[in-house]
Amino acid sequence: MNVKTSSVTPSPASGKLLVSNTDVSLTPIFEPPSHLIPSVPENYPFDTLSDEQTALVHDLQAQLDGIVASLTGDALPGEKEYCDDVRMIKFLKSTNWKIEESATRLKETLQWRREYKPNELILGLEGVCAHSICYLSGFDKSCRPIMTMPTRNGVHIKDHDLATRLTFYTMEQAQKLMKKGVTNLCIIVDFRDSPMNATPVSHSIKFLNVLSKHYPETLGRFVVVNPTWYMWVLYKMVSPFVDNNTKSKVFFVTSDPASSQGKPDKDTGGFVTLELAIDLDQVSTDLGGTREYTFNHLAYWKLFSAL
């Protein structure tokens, strides 16, 4: 049997990696279709804000030098660039526009980033990635990058702290795929064939806590595919750690809701069809889409790590 593989070469113009004319089923989608790319107003990101909210953004920006000066440890490259107006708006929205609370949370996040370094490619991440526990490919109808997490593959993981780090590194890389005007991502969690020991509850809670605290307004949509009876047990255990705003972004996709052995909380988005949120050609067939995509560690990692 002849198996096609992806050939990846550096682009002399950009230094980034390009996939040659090979089997597209091994190539993740890192560029959205043109029809999904949003048009951006001239005064973005202030176009939807009131004068009072705009003033609060400028106020938080004015505090940035003092916040950075109060941090400990070595500064990260691009630390101040990280705190652009879009980021400030996210922190302010997450605190219901309370300036003091936003400044505190921003400081805590910048300190956490110095210590944890979520955007740093450390030894061992590629090995964890090879198990396809978390990967980027495709965009939802709001042009959000899609991060897919097949929970069944968690049984192969021995170092769950490293697996959690890969998740945050993937989120950092996802932000590089966001077009101007796109500020959050879509997460698909697939519970098909997932055993109970696939993902420790403690690590699920840790992920949700860090997501809420240090990635405010970064989750645009959370889609649970193929929910099993175990998924509902896990959901009941972690839901107390999830605020109602985040719950409203959680949706469940199943071919047969009547036999799913569970019922979503009223605060969630409930059951939906996949195509309501995502064009099916952006999602692989095993998730209910129409794209013949097979995760291939070597082809994926070369493109992913070069973003």
Side-chain angles (χ1 to χ4, degrees), residues 216-229:
E217 300 296 315
T218 298
L219 177 63
R221 193 183 298 269
F222 191 98
V223 181
V224 178
V225 177
N226 301 313
T228 61
W229 70 268

Side-chain angles (χ1 to χ4, degrees), residues 255-306:
S255 58
D256 186 8
S259 64
S260 65
Q261 303 181 44
K263 183 178 180 181
D265 288 351
K266 60 181 178 59
D267 296 321
T268 69
F271 284 111
V272 296
T273 58
L274 186 63
E275 58 265 37
L276 184 68
I278 306 169
D279 291 335
L280 296 185
D281 62 359
Q282 294 291 302
V283 185
S284 59
T285 54
D286 61 319
L287 296 173
T290 59
R291 185 166 188 260
E292 296 290 343
Y293 173 65
T294 300
F295 179 86
N296 178 281
H297 159 238
L298 295 177
Y300 174 82
W301 186 259
K302 288 181 181 179
L303 292 169
F304 171 72
S305 60

Side-chain angles (χ1 to χ4, degrees), residues 27 45 187:
T27 307
I187 297 177

